[in-house]
Amino acid sequence: MALLQHPGYEEEKLQRVAEQLPCREVQAGTLLALMGQPQQYSYPSIFIYGHRASGKSHVMNVLLKELELPHATVSCVECVSVALLFEQVLLSFFGCDAASLLPRSPSLSDFVRIYREQCSQSPARQTRYIVMEKAEILRDTDANLLPALLRLQELVEDNVTVILLSEIVWDTFRPNTGCFEPLLLNFPDYSKGELQQILSQDRHPSYSAEFYSSYINILLGVFYSVCRDLRELRHLAALNFSKFCEPLADGKVKETDTHKLWRNIEPHLKKAMQTVYLREVSSLQWEQIQQMEEKEAGVLRGLSAHTHVELPYYSKFLLIAAYLASYNPARTDKRFFLKHHGKIRKTNFLKKNEKTSNHLLGPKPFPLDRLLAIFYSVVDSRVAPTASIFSQISSLVTLQLLTQVSHDDQLDTPKYKCAVSLDFICAISRTVSFDIMKYLYDFL
Amino acid sequence: MSKRKVQNDHMPSGECVTQLQTILRKRLCHQQLPEKLEGVEAQHKHLLELLKQTAIHGESNSVLIIGPRGAGKTTLLKCVLRHLLEEKEVQKNLLQVHLNGLLQTDDRIALKEITRQLNLENVVGDKVFGSFAENLAFLLEALKKGDRSSSRPVLFVLDEFDLFAHHKNQTLLYNLFDVSQSAQAPIAVVGVTCRLDVLELLEKRVKSRFSHRQIHLLSSLTFAQYLERVRAQLSLLDDFPETKFAQNWNAGIETLCEDKSVKEVLQRHYNSSKDFRSVHMLLMSCLSRVSVAKPAIKPVDLLEASRLCLADAKANMLHGLSILELCLIIAMKHLNDIYEGEPFNLQMVHNEFKKFLQRKSNSMYNFDQPVVMKAFEHLQQLELIRPVDGSSAKTQREYQLMRLMLDHSQIMEALQKYPQCPTDVQQWAMSAFG
């Protein structure tokens, strides 16, 4: 492991930093070189971008904590108003007295004024760092905030550096009239080998390192093509390890018998991708499933299986009618829903050269009249158009099974769209024994 | 550490490098004022004369300094002020008010700031004012009474001037210009802005009161001058304590600037922008590589720094995508090619991806729809794809129309660099008929 080196800091501390940053030595070294010695000036603003869980915050935190540099770490998600941001910065640089000087709803001007006053009392002997996590949220706040932060060093005349961390590239941040350009720094993704190395570090003490690392290898074999997020992978590794060890505990296989272990765990991991990875079943449920021997994983119904909704009889037909109206072209209605539709030649009717089906483009809006016409044709019995039918339509809208498209006219000619999936509508029509597939133009 | 403390006539090299870093960092990062301005002598003279008129003769003036970002507007102003304050009389008399459009976002805040900077808080304290103009007039009145001499000149510096033009009714600007036109108190209003069309932003009455004096800072740097400035930025001055080290360093910089590959790199940067701040950024990343073990900047450092500067950020992000996400991007690229840039939704992308899988009869990438959706959403979070309209709540997620924010060449380049890219995926990306 290449040690970090910089003359401004004690070697012991740097050693400790290096130990905590596996596979990020290069980036930490670059950052350290940019930051320079504590008393020297650093670049006014540094923008660090990289994928989720590529160690941006971690590297920054470890560096600033271990080297004992004055810093304020602010998450932009937490700072719903700029007042919180200012307070946090002043608090961590000058103590709570300074933070209490802020007026009720502070402007940037107040912040800079108080910062300057405090700064003249206790000038920086070391570079102060403001770390902004999730900096992409700054774009949505006050338009002046980001440009002002980028040139904060100039505005407050203090040795201060603002570090922005984000997943999104800098190009989308730039304001209209430009700003002080920050120094861009990329944190590249971890390669497969690096992921393997980092994940193998948190091994279980009662098993050997090789054993755990072979487990990680299998895990990456399944998940690597889908997910490269270290945190997600680590979570999955922790969840499924007990299952991996099961055959060992039963005494069926030895630690070295990788092939058998792989055969045991692979279907389990594949199932995990469909369930735990998508948060269909929670981690707790997943652990419970693993405890229960006889119950197969995935028998427990996940979140999406609960989408089954109990609806009144007519509501079901209304929803079916809405689905048919949304996904069928209006010119085919006659053919599907009229008893005596006259002669339509099949070749003419089924224009197979129509390129894209409606199930690819999504639902089309339809007027209320069409919905009711289809509804009366699919319901066998005679239904009076009572108030209850109409209120059921509007309650379907509140349940977000239908969406109203244009808001311009509430009463006259409302237009709707059907917002349910094919699976859902199939399940509904099965309960009223209606064969929806026969009526869908796309599936003829 | 102990080794470096050996007493010697010379400063140890570690100290030298530290000293060097301190000096150069101050120059590059902190925008330290240079000794002498180059290339803007005429502008400097003009502004200095103008401000002298106000400071000494009590004449009211207004002027706008206009130039692109990083052209040295603030530096020019600061240099002029430094020269101006060298005179005793000016030093005693002149009051300065510095406002910034980024900080003083409306007139109330700006007025408070003016009051504060003129040290009039104790005077204004308990008085209640009606209009804004009354308040401002009082402020200036107070200035007159403040000193024995009949009136003291005030210099108003409005940084980011164009943002002040967005204030309601432009009251502050109107009053400032009005005072500079009529009232007795001599004031000078100096606006600093990067917008060339700033006069179009002003209201008619404000515009008519402005003196229409403009100082343009448009860089007319030739490449030779550019190179010379780079050299000057990096060179050490004579006051460096260790002469030997300084000489070596300066000689190193000299040879660096002579180097052919370095010239090429700088030419490329010169072609993309003459703005000096971007060069500072480049030099800063070079300087950060200087250490005790390597006390000189080598051409390699500059090449590397330039490579990092010019790297395409989106390509970097594409490098870190999972193979599934990359496949989705390729599918989107095909959709874009076929339908000529029409927006697409997840269903279409997935359909395109499934076509590829069928053709290849390869079950390796056979993922469920929810897994694909998760990957799709990740792409959306990275803003590589963007929804066409903002109404996300109304349509189902899989039918929401999206646009790809990448162009063809970026995708192809990323594919070339992608680690262990499967051959069939690569071929699929190449094939024109998805």
Side-chain angles (χ1 to χ4, degrees):
Chain A
M1 191 189 288
L3 274 179
L4 289 171
Q5 280 180 336
H6 205 275
Y9 307 97
E10 290 167 35
E11 270 172 40
E12 199 181 317
K13 284 181 185 169
L14 287 175
Q15 172 108 36
R16 237 176 312 152
V17 170
E19 275 163 15
Q20 289 178 48
L21 302 175
C23 307
R24 276 289 171 254
E25 292 92 0
V26 182
Q27 282 74 27
T30 322
L31 257 175
L32 206 60
L34 277 177
M35 283 153 64
Q37 296 183 21
Q39 74 282 359
Q40 289 169 347
Y41 275 100
S42 173
Y43 207 75
S45 47
I46 301 174
F47 181 85
I48 301 176
Y49 67 98
H51 277 275
R52 189 178 307 164
S54 56
K56 303 182 290 292
S57 309
H58 181 62
V59 168
M60 252 0 276
N61 280 340
V62 167
L63 274 179
L64 294 175
K65 282 243 172 62
E66 287 291 338
L67 302 178
E68 290 164 15
L69 300 166
H71 66 278
T73 309
V74 184
S75 166
C76 295
V77 184
E78 290 170 21
C79 292
V80 284
S81 75
V82 282
L84 290 168
L85 165 71
F86 299 154
E87 195 181 327
Q88 214 161 338
V89 170
L90 288 176
L91 193 71
S92 34
F93 285 166
F94 306 108
C96 42
D97 293 342
S100 61
L101 286 175
L102 279 171
R104 260 180 79 82
S105 52
S107 62
L108 256 170
S109 178
D110 292 319
F111 169 66
V112 169
R113 177 171 52 85
I114 293 171
Y115 192 107
R116 276 184 162 193
E117 279 165 14
Q118 293 295 323
C119 181
S120 60
Q121 285 165 25
S122 53
R125 258 167 288 135
Q126 299 185 326
T127 313
R128 295 182 169 125
Y129 294 94
I130 302 177
V131 183
M132 311 283 292
E133 285 170 3
K134 292 243 174 223
E136 58 265 22
I137 296 170
L138 285 177
R139 295 176 302 175
D140 307 331
T141 57
D142 188 12
N144 284 336
L145 186 61
L146 183 64
L149 277 176
L150 288 173
R151 55 194 312 165
L152 195 66
Q153 191 177 92
E154 190 185 320
L155 292 173
V156 299
E157 289 168 358
D158 183 33
N159 188 358
V160 63
T161 293
V162 177
I163 297 173
L164 304 169
L165 309 178
S166 178
E167 275 182 55
I168 297 171
V169 294
W170 168 248
D171 299 343
T172 57
F173 281 70
R174 203 170 284 125
N176 281 340
T177 46
C179 59
F180 190 101
E181 293 284 313
L183 197 72
L184 303 184
L185 203 62
N186 178 34
F187 271 44
D189 50 302
Y190 292 114
S191 69
K192 198 170 182 178
E194 284 171 335
L195 279 175
Q196 165 107 26
Q197 188 189 335
I198 296 169
L199 285 170
S200 304
Q201 275 182 355
D202 37 30
R203 68 185 179 89
H204 203 279
S206 49
Y207 298 96
S208 71
E210 295 81 53
F211 178 67
Y212 193 78
S213 124
S214 71
Y215 165 62
I216 292 298
N217 205 3
I218 294 169
L219 185 90
L220 283 180
V222 174
F223 280 103
Y224 187 67
S225 57
V226 175
C227 172
R228 302 203 168 169
D229 187 338
L230 177 64
R231 260 177 289 177
E232 184 89 53
L233 287 170
R234 183 175 271 166
H235 176 66
L236 286 166
L239 271 182
N240 294 309
F241 186 59
S242 61
K243 180 79 182 176
F244 185 67
C245 300
E246 234 169 46
L248 275 185
D250 298 348
K252 280 185 206 151
V253 280
K254 280 182 291 193
E255 272 196 20
T256 45
D257 201 350
T258 330
H259 185 68
K260 270 191 183 155
L261 285 168
W262 175 75
R263 273 240 306 263
N264 176 44
I265 194 73
E266 219 230 347
H268 186 74
L269 288 178
K270 285 232 164 105
K271 199 146 266 168
M273 172 147 38
Q274 292 155 16
T275 51
V276 149
Y277 174 67
L278 299 167
R279 308 290 186 272
E280 281 273 312
V281 301
S282 69
S283 316
L284 187 69
Q285 280 174 318
W286 185 250
E287 274 170 350
Q288 281 167 352
I289 292 167
Q290 287 178 343
Q291 301 284 315
M292 290 180 277
E293 271 295 322
E294 63 272 35
K295 242 190 179 180
E296 259 296 298
V299 170
L300 198 79
R301 287 190 309 165
L303 263 185
S304 66
H306 287 290
T307 50
H308 172 68
V309 191
E310 236 0 284
L311 286 173
Y313 185 70
Y314 286 142
S315 285
K316 284 180 185 169
F317 272 107
L318 280 171
L319 198 59
I320 289 169
Y323 193 86
L324 291 173
S326 259
Y327 286 93
N328 278 351
R331 62 179 173 80
T332 62
D333 280 356
K334 219 169 154 191
R335 154 77 168 75
F336 279 125
F337 303 112
L338 236 61
K339 274 213 178 97
H340 309 289
H341 50 75
K343 270 192 183 166
I344 303 173
R345 260 176 295 161
K346 262 210 162 156
T347 48
N348 196 15
F349 171 67
L350 290 172
K351 281 186 191 160
K352 269 301 171 198
N353 57 350
E354 269 189 344
K355 267 182 245 161
T356 40
S357 76
N358 278 327
H359 280 85
L360 221 52
L361 294 170
K364 297 264 183 306
F366 53 84
L368 178 65
D369 300 346
R370 191 169 161 227
L371 170 70
L372 287 176
I374 297 177
F375 171 68
Y376 287 129
S377 129
V378 290
V379 173
D380 288 336
S381 54
R382 262 185 73 83
V383 190
T386 54
S388 118
I389 294 292
F390 288 101
S391 75
Q392 281 185 35
I393 294 176
S394 60
S395 67
L396 283 175
V397 174
T398 16
L399 286 171
Q400 298 191 355
L401 299 172
L402 297 185
T403 45
Q404 196 162 1
V405 178
S406 56
H407 282 289
D408 48 352
D409 210 339
Q410 289 284 333
L411 285 174
D412 231 11
T413 49
K415 284 195 163 184
Y416 298 99
K417 242 187 206 181
C418 187
V420 297
S421 64
L422 182 63
D423 294 339
F424 185 91
I425 205 72
C426 284
I428 291 270
S429 44
R430 226 172 290 128
T431 59
V432 291
S433 50
F434 176 83
D435 188 5
I436 195 160
M437 283 307 182
K438 262 181 20 190
Y439 289 89
L440 278 172
Y441 178 68
D442 286 343
F443 298 104
L444 272 186
Chain B
M1 277 303 210
S2 57
K3 261 189 239 164
R4 284 186 211 146
K5 280 194 182 144
V6 176
Q7 282 297 317
N8 205 336
D9 286 358
H10 301 291
M11 235 163 48
S13 68
E15 294 281 312
C16 279
V17 170
T18 306
Q19 196 79 19
L20 168 88
Q21 287 269 4
T22 311
I23 291 172
L24 288 188
R25 270 166 189 271
K26 216 167 184 181
R27 205 182 283 169
L28 294 177
C29 304
H30 197 55
Q31 318 287 336
Q32 198 192 28
L33 288 186
E35 290 298 311
K36 202 163 105 346
L37 278 176
E38 277 160 33
V40 289
E41 286 84 3
Q43 285 96 328
H44 182 269
K45 190 159 165 271
H46 186 182
L47 191 60
L48 187 62
E49 286 303 316
L50 210 67
L51 293 184
K52 259 189 189 156
Q53 291 289 327
T54 305
I56 298 167
H57 303 295
E59 196 181 292
S60 287
N61 274 315
S62 48
V63 64
L64 272 178
I65 306 176
I66 301 175
R69 295 249 170 218
K73 303 180 289 291
T74 314
T75 316
L76 171 71
L77 185 66
K78 278 187 180 160
C79 280
V80 168
L81 282 179
R82 192 176 60 183
H83 273 132
L84 194 65
L85 289 176
E86 276 167 8
E87 285 184 42
K88 269 270 164 53
E89 192 190 348
V90 176
Q91 218 170 31
K92 214 172 62 188
N93 256 340
L94 186 72
L95 291 169
Q96 292 184 36
V97 177
H98 291 266
L99 299 177
N100 193 317
L102 290 173
L103 303 181
Q104 281 78 42
T105 43
D106 65 41
D107 284 345
R108 188 173 298 279
I109 300 172
L111 201 58
K112 227 161 99 188
E113 188 67 21
I114 295 172
T115 327
R116 211 181 55 76
Q117 290 195 14
L118 292 175
N119 291 320
L120 290 171
E121 289 136 309
N122 46 353
V123 188
V124 178
D126 47 306
K127 278 193 181 173
V128 182
F129 287 103
S131 73
F132 179 83
E134 213 177 316
N135 200 345
L136 191 72
F138 168 78
L139 284 175
L140 296 163
E141 200 68 31
L143 286 179
K144 280 187 189 174
K145 289 179 195 162
D147 205 295
R148 256 186 303 112
S149 54
S150 61
S151 59
R152 291 177 69 178
V154 192
L155 169 67
F156 284 92
V157 176
L158 304 181
D159 206 349
E160 309 278 350
F161 183 80
D162 50 311
L163 295 178
F164 283 101
H166 293 306
H167 291 184
K168 194 169 170 268
N169 290 340
Q170 304 186 345
T171 323
L172 180 77
L173 292 185
Y174 174 76
N175 280 301
L176 281 180
F177 285 140
D178 196 45
V179 168
S180 80
Q181 288 282 321
S182 55
Q184 262 81 51
I187 70 169
V189 182
V190 180
V192 180
T193 180
C194 61
R195 280 186 72 160
L196 293 178
D197 63 340
V198 68
L199 283 183
E200 307 302 312
L201 298 174
L202 296 179
E203 281 176 26
K204 212 166 105 189
R205 58 193 181 116
V206 181
K207 204 168 164 183
S208 72
R209 280 167 174 76
F210 170 59
S211 69
H212 287 269
R213 247 188 227 106
Q214 297 180 15
I215 295 177
H216 285 275
L217 280 181
L218 298 172
S219 172
S220 55
L221 221 58
T222 61
F223 181 64
Q225 285 168 322
Y226 184 84
L227 205 63
E228 175 57 29
R229 275 191 77 169
V230 170
R231 202 188 56 71
Q233 282 290 330
L234 285 177
S235 311
L236 286 172
L237 296 178
D238 297 335
D239 57 356
F240 193 75
E242 186 62 31
T243 352
K244 190 84 186 303
F245 182 83
Q247 275 169 2
N248 277 345
W249 172 264
N250 284 347
I253 296 300
E254 207 69 61
T255 43
L256 180 78
C257 289
E258 296 293 302
D259 192 278
K260 204 170 160 222
S261 57
V262 169
K263 269 188 182 163
E264 248 167 51
V265 167
L266 288 175
Q267 178 81 53
R268 200 157 54 217
H269 278 263
Y270 173 78
N271 288 346
S272 70
S273 124
K274 292 184 200 171
D275 160 21
F276 231 75
R277 237 181 239 158
S278 65
V279 178
H280 281 179
M281 208 190 303
L282 183 74
L283 297 183
M284 181 63 203
S285 28
C286 294
L287 179 68
S288 71
R289 282 159 221 269
V290 173
S291 63
V292 183
K294 192 172 73 67
I297 297 181
K298 293 268 162 8
V300 191
D301 293 329
L302 199 76
L303 290 181
E304 182 69 9
S306 151
R307 198 182 57 77
L308 284 181
C309 263
L310 298 176
D312 184 8
K314 275 194 177 144
N316 280 338
M317 290 310 276
L318 283 176
H319 185 271
L321 292 178
S322 69
I323 191 78
L324 172 59
E325 284 152 356
L326 191 75
C327 285
L328 290 184
I329 295 247
I330 294 171
M332 289 171 204
K333 191 204 91 169
H334 284 319
L335 282 176
N336 259 349
D337 288 350
I338 297 166
Y339 299 112
E340 288 160 355
E342 288 293 306
F344 49 80
N345 61 30
L346 171 61
Q347 288 287 346
M348 299 181 196
V349 175
H350 196 185
N351 194 42
E352 195 70 28
F353 182 42
K354 274 195 254 176
K355 271 195 224 160
F356 161 65
L357 293 184
Q358 277 166 11
R359 229 175 14 153
K360 289 289 161 199
S361 66
N362 189 342
S363 66
M364 209 178 101
Y365 313 119
N366 234 337
F367 302 108
D368 295 346
Q369 168 96 357
V371 177
V372 173
M373 188 186 285
K374 191 165 172 168
F376 195 73
E377 275 169 3
H378 186 226
L379 291 178
Q380 194 183 341
Q381 279 161 7
L382 292 173
E383 295 189 11
L384 296 176
I385 51 176
R386 207 173 262 178
V388 172
D389 53 346
S391 60
S392 52
K394 277 187 123 184
T395 43
Q396 293 148 281
R397 281 184 300 176
E398 57 263 49
Y399 292 123
Q400 200 176 14
L401 289 179
M402 297 283 186
R403 257 183 222 288
L404 187 61
M405 306 310 267
L406 297 162
D407 64 24
H408 198 280
S409 59
Q410 272 173 324
I411 299 172
M412 292 327 259
E413 197 189 316
L415 255 156
Q416 297 295 325
K417 286 184 191 156
Y418 196 80
Q420 290 149 23
C421 184
T423 323
D424 46 354
V425 171
Q426 217 151 24
Q427 276 170 353
W428 178 42
M430 301 289 183
S431 66
F433 307 104

